[in-house]
Amino acid sequence: ILNVEQSPQSLHVQEGDSTNFTCSFPSSNFYALHWYRWETAKSPEALFVMTLNGDEKKKGRISATLNTKEGYSYLYIKGSQPEDSATYLCAQVAGYALNFGKGTSLLVTP
Amino acid sequence: NAGVTQTPKFQVLKTGQSMTLQCAQDMNHEYMSWYRQDPGMGLRLIHYSVGAGITDQGEVPNGYNVSRSTTEDFPLRLLSAAPSQTSVYFCASSYGLAGGGSLYEQYFGPGTRLTVT
């Protein structure tokens, strides 16, 4: 089982702050990395699937980068809004399966 | 499209009872999977299927059975419920022919909250 780690475990920022969190994963036999946003009482929704070293993807105020050689990915949120409050999950592809990290819980207060 | 649907939303079982959690998708996805979510543990893969008639075990398969007789449906059976199976269960599906489903974004169902007393 691949060990996917996310940090920090939780984060509390003020509206308008920019923030970022980290997903670390084993760099050997890399196939792809997923990012999901999971709001309370809902189900996870896909943000990005990243495959190439150096890749950067963006969706609105959220962006992600990938370093497969050193085994990490960063998720950035620019100008956080209360509606960004959620748990952000990353998952590494391991063959036919996905191994999820435990997530970073983000709270954005007005 | 309804996407991924799961029934029931909530269920309470007594130890030793059996039940089936239903999962269906209407997106013609080949890849389907079941996860359980426990506090402090994150999502853990129970079983997955890369297509009709093909299933395999994930990280935590003990106590669960699956089958995939159609592309649309992927039920999860609890054979003899135990308190350790108290959890929230999520079904997910994605594109991906020839077993490549894990490389595509997963579409999750709304979840089933199961309590075993």
Side-chain angles (χ1 to χ4, degrees):
Chain A
I1 302 295
L2 300 175
N3 198 23
V4 177
E5 303 283 346
Q6 292 189 248
S7 62
Q9 185 176 348
S10 63
L11 200 52
H12 182 187
V13 302
Q14 297 296 312
E15 182 176 357
D17 289 347
S18 293
T19 187
N20 66 86
F21 17 96
T22 305
C23 174
S24 302
F25 52 86
S27 56
S28 59
N29 297 319
F30 178 84
Y31 294 100
L33 188 86
H34 296 223
W35 280 101
Y36 292 84
R37 168 192 162 89
W38 192 358
E39 290 182 70
T40 302
K42 295 188 178 180
S43 46
E45 291 185 348
L47 288 171
F48 309 113
V49 178
M50 309 179 79
T51 56
L52 299 176
N53 184 47
D55 205 3
E56 181 170 348
K57 297 209 171 185
K58 189 173 180 181
K59 184 180 284 189
R61 294 179 290 99
I62 303 176
S63 61
T65 61
L66 179 66
N67 184 324
T68 62
K69 295 188 187 309
E70 297 183 37
Y72 64 84
S73 175
Y74 293 139
L75 190 79
Y76 300 91
I77 303 179
K78 185 177 178 182
S80 302
Q81 299 296 309
E83 57 265 31
D84 295 328
S85 297
T87 296
Y88 292 83
L89 301 173
C90 68
Q92 185 179 18
V93 171
Y96 298 126
L98 282 170
N99 289 323
F100 279 85
K102 294 180 182 179
T104 292
S105 177
L106 174 66
L107 177 64
V108 183
T109 51
Chain B
N1 285 354
V4 180
T5 58
Q6 290 183 239
T7 56
K9 283 189 167 49
F10 302 94
Q11 183 71 47
V12 178
L13 289 179
K14 294 189 188 311
T15 297
Q17 287 184 316
S18 63
M19 79 160 295
T20 299
L21 278 63
Q22 301 292 344
C23 174
Q25 52 89 11
D26 61 359
M27 297 174 281
N28 203 30
H29 285 170
E30 291 293 323
Y31 184 87
M32 296 185 75
S33 54
W34 277 101
Y35 293 88
R36 60 178 289 172
Q37 195 263 326
D38 302 296
M41 297 295 291
L43 288 167
R44 291 185 293 168
L45 183 65
I46 305 171
H47 285 283
Y48 66 91
S49 169
V50 299
I54 307 169
T55 65
D56 207 346
Q57 297 180 350
E59 181 185 353
V60 288
N62 291 343
Y64 307 95
N65 269 359
V66 291
S67 59
R68 185 95 180 270
S69 56
T70 67
T71 300
E72 294 77 21
D73 301 297
F74 190 42
L76 178 73
R77 279 181 283 278
L78 279 70
L79 308 172
S80 176
S84 60
Q85 293 179 303
T86 294
S87 188
V88 181
Y89 292 85
F90 287 95
C91 178
S93 72
S94 75
Y95 296 107
L97 298 178
S102 59
L103 297 175
Y104 295 84
E105 65 179 80
Q106 305 294 301
Y107 292 79
F108 284 86
T112 293
R113 185 175 293 275
L114 176 68
T115 301
V116 183
T117 61

